[in-house]
Amino acid sequence: MLHFYRCQLPYEYDNATYNFPEINMTIPWDLKSKSWSSCARLDANFTTEYFNAGIPANSSVNCDKWVYDTTVYKSSAVTEFSLVCDNAHFRVMADSLFMVGALLGSIIFGDLSDRFGRRPIFFLSLVLQVVFGLLAAIAPEYYTFMACRLIIGSTTSGVFLVAYVIAMEMVGPSKRLYAGVVCQFFFTTGYILTAAFAYFIKDWRILQAALSAPGIIFLCYWWFVPESARWLITKGRGAEAKELLLKAAKENKVTIPEDILDNLLPQTEVANGDHPSQQEARKKNTTQKQSTLLDLFYYPNLRKKTLVILFSWFVNSGTYYGLSWNTSNLGGNDYINFVLSGAVEYPGYSFLLLTLNRWGRKAVLCGCMIVGGVALLLTSVVPSDMNWLIITLAMIGKMVITSSYGTVYVFSAEQFPTVVRNIGIGAASTSARIGGILAPYTLLLGDHWRPLPLLIYGALALVGGLLSLLLPETLNKKLPDTITEGELFGLRHQKDVEDVDGNMAEVIKNSDLNVNHEQK
């Protein structure tokens, strides 16, 4: 959001307008920006004699109040809290703090959803988001507003990421693509609708409330959204998982044979027919073997995959948000530019629907990141007078990075074992938020050399695309459920399995998975 503002002069009232005819006698010329200063005024007694003399003062002082151009924006947090001039850094901090909140939320809510279930944590996050969204709309001063923004940022992880994991765990391999990509379509639609809300609602406080209030409607999902059957199975709650699967089968007018259910739930009391004492022992054993984020770094194959995924999320997020915040280069109407920056995501996601199930996740992720990297790197050699070409290349970069960002969501959820899937996605989201936090500061480098931010994003995207070749393909593969399966997933040769470190080799040797493999 670009604001135009100037000093409020000593003789002006609070309802003064932005434009006035005596600018050359009241405002100094800023040589750096090559425009009239927005942060200083001439140091003079603005009397009738002064204006009649027609000689501007030769010294200036900093502003203590400002007058804003309300032609486009009636009000905003920037204008109300005077986040301009010496306080302008707070604007960057506002974006960064929101992303810090998203970072914290990805850690906290990711872990909570793995411990207590996807469904309750989703609704807890939704309630917090609505409450603090409405509180932000009535915040009396800047620090209260930013505290609310921080919490709202954290709840976005709890709402979107947990909902995404629920969607991925509800469907089979052939439908994962549609579940994952459709989630992204709704994200983009919400992005574009924000411009529509802002166009019709000019007051920022009413706009904040209008964007927060619809969350109340989604509380009715409590009666429609079930718990994840996969999560229930990993927690040894087979009876609940079986009931949920049978209910889903009835809704879809299909029948699941009992033997198939028994194969799906081998470790539960339902499939094994355990006595109550055995069930209690299994639950106790499950609790003792609670998997954590450290398991993803303890074993070599999981560690390699996890590090590549974390870097991919960092690059995709930083580049995505950096390009989104860079749309002011388009010029023209701010609302149209905002809509265009969102609309370009539709072909990016549509591309995924056409290719992910044909070409595979790895090829699409690698190809999109490399194409995006090359497009952004080319902006550094485009002549400065061909601004339209720089914008075109940047938008191509945004489109393909949108595709790779959508792919990395699907690809990552399929790489992590079920027992740590939400923790893994939470960690990946943490890495993404770090990229988002750094994005506005990276854009500041453009003050020294305009192509530099795009050059940095391009180089990172190119490296990320090449590293993604290290990840195993997941198309039409069974998702790993345990840490053992996660470590074995992607090891192509027996030698790879033998190279696994001693601890994991012992686990594999004694695991039911290895026994079943030998029996086959």
Side-chain angles (χ1 to χ4, degrees):
M1 182 181 294
L2 183 62
H3 287 280
F4 295 99
Y5 54 92
R6 62 168 176 81
C7 280
Q8 181 177 330
L9 302 172
Y11 62 85
E12 290 184 304
Y13 296 105
D14 289 339
N15 62 350
T17 59
Y18 175 74
N19 296 310
F20 64 102
E22 305 93 351
I23 190 167
N24 61 316
M25 295 293 292
T26 55
I27 304 297
W29 183 259
D30 187 346
L31 294 176
K32 183 178 180 180
S33 63
K34 296 181 180 180
S35 63
W36 299 106
S37 176
S38 297
C39 300
R41 63 173 177 83
L42 294 177
D43 187 12
N45 292 322
F46 299 108
T47 62
T48 302
E49 291 78 9
Y50 171 77
F51 286 111
N52 289 337
I55 303 175
N58 56 10
S59 62
S60 61
V61 294
N62 291 332
C63 306
D64 53 10
K65 286 186 177 181
W66 291 266
V67 177
Y68 298 93
D69 183 2
T70 58
T71 303
V72 179
Y73 306 108
K74 179 180 178 181
S75 71
S76 71
V78 172
T79 60
E80 183 165 332
F81 300 129
S82 297
L83 305 181
V84 294
C85 298
D86 290 341
N87 293 326
H89 63 281
F90 284 114
R91 293 207 304 269
V92 176
M93 187 181 296
D95 292 330
S96 293
L97 276 178
F98 183 87
M99 300 302 290
V100 168
L103 185 155
L104 296 175
S106 64
I107 298 173
I108 296 170
F109 291 112
D111 181 64
L112 289 177
S113 65
D114 274 338
R115 292 175 181 272
F116 302 107
R118 313 325 192 194
R119 186 168 174 263
I121 301 306
F122 169 78
F123 286 101
L124 172 64
S125 303
L126 185 59
V127 170
L128 291 174
Q129 186 175 82
V130 172
V131 170
F132 283 93
L134 295 175
L135 287 176
I138 60 174
E141 35 75 33
Y142 176 73
Y143 294 103
T144 301
F145 173 74
M146 292 310 300
C148 292
R149 288 277 294 169
L150 180 72
I151 297 174
I152 294 169
S154 68
T155 61
T156 58
S157 296
V159 173
F160 185 77
L161 287 179
V162 175
Y164 184 86
V165 170
I166 290 175
M168 292 299 293
E169 292 183 340
M170 277 185 175
V171 299
S174 64
K175 303 298 182 182
R176 285 184 216 144
L177 169 63
Y178 298 98
V181 174
V182 167
C183 286
Q184 305 296 342
F185 271 126
F186 280 96
F187 178 89
T188 299
T189 302
Y191 179 98
I192 293 174
L193 285 177
T194 301
F197 273 79
Y199 182 79
F200 291 104
I201 304 175
K202 302 297 184 180
D203 185 278
W204 79 269
R205 290 185 181 276
I206 299 176
L207 176 62
Q208 174 66 38
L211 292 173
S212 302
I216 298 174
I217 300 174
F218 297 108
L219 293 177
C220 69
Y221 279 19
W222 178 265
W223 289 276
F224 304 105
V225 177
E227 183 56 86
S228 165
R230 279 185 178 273
W231 181 83
L232 291 171
I233 292 172
T234 61
K235 294 299 179 181
R237 294 163 60 176
E240 296 174 63
K242 182 177 181 179
E243 181 182 355
L244 178 59
L245 292 172
L246 290 173
K247 184 178 179 180
K250 182 179 179 181
E251 186 72 21
N252 292 320
K253 296 180 174 57
V254 298
T255 302
I256 304 179
E258 284 292 329
D259 59 330
I260 293 180
L261 273 179
D262 291 344
N263 290 331
L264 288 173
L265 313 173
Q267 71 273 46
T268 66
E269 60 270 22
V270 174
N272 293 326
D274 292 344
H275 296 294
S277 60
Q278 294 173 308
Q279 297 171 14
E280 189 64 32
R282 176 173 284 106
K283 291 178 181 177
K284 181 178 179 181
N285 186 53
T286 300
T287 302
Q288 291 175 344
K289 294 182 179 179
Q290 179 72 43
S291 298
T292 67
L293 178 63
L294 295 179
D295 290 314
L296 293 175
F297 294 94
Y298 189 75
Y299 305 108
N301 189 38
L302 274 174
R303 180 169 57 245
K304 177 190 69 177
K305 292 186 292 186
T306 300
L307 290 174
V308 172
I309 289 171
L310 294 182
F311 183 74
S312 293
W313 279 67
F314 172 82
V315 172
N316 278 280
S317 176
T319 305
Y320 175 85
Y321 287 108
L323 293 175
S324 297
W325 288 325
N326 201 40
T327 52
S328 59
N329 284 337
L330 291 174
N333 187 286
D334 287 351
Y335 297 105
I336 294 177
N337 293 343
F338 193 86
V339 170
L340 289 175
S341 70
V344 74
E345 297 182 10
Y346 283 121
Y349 289 130
S350 298
F351 174 76
L352 299 184
L353 292 175
L354 297 174
T355 59
L356 272 187
N357 277 346
R358 296 179 181 180
W359 300 351
R361 281 64 159 139
K362 183 162 69 172
V364 174
L365 178 64
C366 174
C368 287
M369 293 188 74
I370 289 177
V371 170
V374 171
L376 296 176
L377 288 173
L378 287 175
T379 61
S380 63
V381 299
V382 175
S384 58
D385 60 344
M386 298 181 67
N387 191 61
W388 63 271
L389 183 54
I390 294 176
I391 294 172
T392 301
L393 290 172
M395 287 301 99
I396 291 174
K398 172 74 182 298
M399 183 176 64
V400 294
I401 286 298
T402 296
S403 295
S404 65
Y405 208 172
T407 304
V408 81
Y409 265 95
V410 179
F411 206 19
S412 301
E414 294 174 340
Q415 294 284 344
F416 292 121
T418 301
V419 291
V420 287
R421 180 166 296 123
N422 229 47
I423 294 178
I425 292 294
S429 179
T430 299
S431 180
R433 300 315 170 195
I434 294 174
I437 291 169
L438 295 177
Y441 294 100
T442 304
L443 294 176
L444 292 178
L445 297 175
D447 294 340
H448 303 284
W449 186 39
R450 184 184 176 191
L452 186 56
L454 298 182
L455 194 62
I456 293 173
Y457 295 139
L460 289 174
L462 190 60
V463 172
L466 294 174
L467 287 176
S468 65
L469 292 172
L470 298 175
L471 297 173
E473 181 56 69
T474 59
L475 179 61
N476 295 326
K477 301 291 180 63
K478 178 184 179 297
L479 294 182
D481 286 321
T482 66
I483 294 296
T484 303
E485 292 176 1
E487 176 65 5
L488 287 173
F489 189 69
L491 297 180
R492 299 179 179 179
H493 307 292
Q494 183 62 31
K495 183 179 183 301
D496 294 327
V497 178
E498 294 172 354
D499 287 342
V500 175
D501 71 293
N503 289 333
M504 177 53 79
E506 189 66 25
V507 171
I508 295 172
K509 180 180 178 182
N510 296 317
S511 68
D512 292 336
L513 176 66
N514 192 58
V515 171
N516 292 337
H517 178 71
E518 290 176 352
Q519 289 175 345
K520 291 180 180 179

